[in-house]
Amino acid sequence: EGAFATPYSLPLPTVTGLNPTGSIINLPTQGGRITLVGTAFGVGADAMRNVTLGSRTCRDVEMSSTVDAISCVVPHGLGSGPVSATVIIAGQASAPLALTLTYDSASLDAQAIVFDETKPTFTITGASFGDQSVAVSASLKCVSRCPLDQVLPLAVVSHDHTSVVVATTSSRTGVWQVELQVAASPLTRDDALFYFSGPRLTSFTVDDLTLAGPHNIKFVGSNLANVSASITFTYPLGASQTVGCPESDQWTNELVSCVVPAGYGTVTADITVVANVSITFSASIVYPTPVVSGIESALASYPTAGGSVI
């Protein structure tokens, strides 16, 4: 007679608790390793083991030497809340064990982000921002060399547990404080700052330059919003004159203008722009050469001491 194999079913895994005991797990912001105790967790290095916490899967699953404990690294998270822990061995799942995971609150790193118009995005760093299911928004608030307390909304491209990627905004000036909203909770710190580039001047034009003056001179560049400006003129023979440039409705982020006085000869004009940094741009202005076209009235005779001619 032949031998008959006896059917054998693996016992279902069971999860009875935590090591150390309790039902609340306090985790660092990046997640941490937890240990579940129970029975029928399988033997051998090739056993198919998985641990789930709610809808998320633990990583780096390890067995203890006594095969009655299994550990894994909990995913990143935010805040606290209840979850169900389940151990799955070779496709067979244990009954869930109710747990509460408590993570550190979200936080911002100290950082100094410098505006770079050549890059499409920049990154804000911190901890416990959560995964893509967590609502995150970002903004900048003016603190220096810009309209104080003005808030500039930013477009969040993506985020993970430790970083928020934000689309580069249009160029401005000044120092701004980084602000985040993570799951409707505001995050700020005095040393999380964003610095826009300093102003730049690239060219100038002068409208209707005549000897009589005055003239309107325009300087073109970038990052010129919320600046102050003045121009120093150095005339032939060393004479000089400095004039302020009152801000007008013609000023933009790319242009500042100033009314300059009448002059003579070839003049060196140094425009100084002050924002979060100071810059000076030099230009040469060539005034027309004076021309005498005639005498308004001919004098038949002059007194011995001389006289005036118009």
Side-chain angles (χ1 to χ4, degrees):
E1 297 180 0
F4 293 94
T6 301
Y8 175 76
S9 297
L10 292 173
L12 289 175
T14 61
V15 181
T16 57
L18 293 171
N19 185 14
T21 59
S23 61
I24 297 177
I25 307 171
N26 296 312
L27 296 165
T29 56
Q30 289 81 13
R33 183 169 289 277
I34 64 169
T35 299
L36 302 172
V37 295
T39 61
F41 290 159
V43 296
D46 59 347
M48 297 174 59
R49 305 181 183 92
N50 291 291
V51 178
T52 62
L53 297 170
S55 61
R56 306 179 70 183
T57 301
C58 254
R59 58 184 175 84
D60 300 334
V61 177
E62 296 180 356
M63 284 291 299
S64 72
S65 58
T66 59
V67 303
D68 60 357
I70 190 169
S71 69
C72 64
V73 175
V74 178
H76 298 166
L78 174 72
S80 62
V83 296
S84 296
T86 303
V87 175
I88 304 170
I89 305 296
Q92 299 192 85
S94 69
L97 175 70
L99 301 173
T100 297
L101 300 182
T102 300
Y103 292 89
D104 292 343
S105 299
S107 62
L108 267 175
D109 290 340
Q111 53 205 292
I113 306 169
V114 179
F115 174 76
D116 186 346
E117 61 188 359
T118 67
K119 296 181 180 179
T121 63
F122 63 91
T123 301
I124 301 168
T125 61
S128 290
F129 296 152
D131 57 21
Q132 289 294 318
S133 65
V134 177
V136 174
S137 61
S139 60
L140 300 175
K141 182 179 180 180
C142 170
V143 294
S144 177
R145 295 291 185 181
C146 44
L148 290 180
D149 296 328
Q150 179 181 347
V151 176
L152 176 63
L154 302 173
V156 174
V157 177
S158 64
H159 80 273
D160 59 22
H161 181 70
T162 58
S163 63
V164 178
V165 179
V166 177
T168 298
T169 184
S170 59
S171 179
R172 285 170 172 77
T173 60
V175 182
W176 301 64
Q177 187 177 46
V178 175
E179 298 183 323
L180 290 182
Q181 289 267 347
V182 179
S185 297
L187 292 180
T188 61
R189 58 184 294 168
D190 292 341
D191 52 3
L193 298 173
F194 185 98
Y195 296 84
F196 278 101
S197 303
R200 289 188 298 173
L201 295 171
T202 56
S203 63
F204 80 100
T205 59
V206 182
D207 295 342
D208 299 325
L209 185 62
T210 66
L211 185 64
H215 319 291
N216 188 38
I217 185 169
K218 297 178 180 178
F219 288 85
V220 179
S222 60
N223 303 334
L224 298 177
N226 305 305
V227 301
S228 60
S230 63
I231 300 180
T232 299
F233 297 91
T234 303
Y235 296 99
L237 304 179
S240 65
Q241 180 181 14
T242 299
V243 296
C245 301
E247 187 171 352
S248 71
D249 55 8
Q250 298 182 30
W251 286 32
T252 68
N253 198 45
E254 291 78 33
L255 180 145
V256 296
S257 61
C258 191
V259 175
V260 302
Y264 58 93
T266 299
V267 175
T268 300
D270 294 323
I271 180 170
T272 299
V273 167
V274 179
N276 51 317
V277 296
S278 297
I279 62 166
T280 298
F281 181 84
S282 294
S284 292
I285 299 176
V286 181
Y287 286 92
T289 302
V291 176
V292 177
S293 58
I295 299 176
E296 185 173 296
S297 61
L299 296 179
S301 62
Y302 295 96
T304 306
S308 298
V309 177
I310 298 177

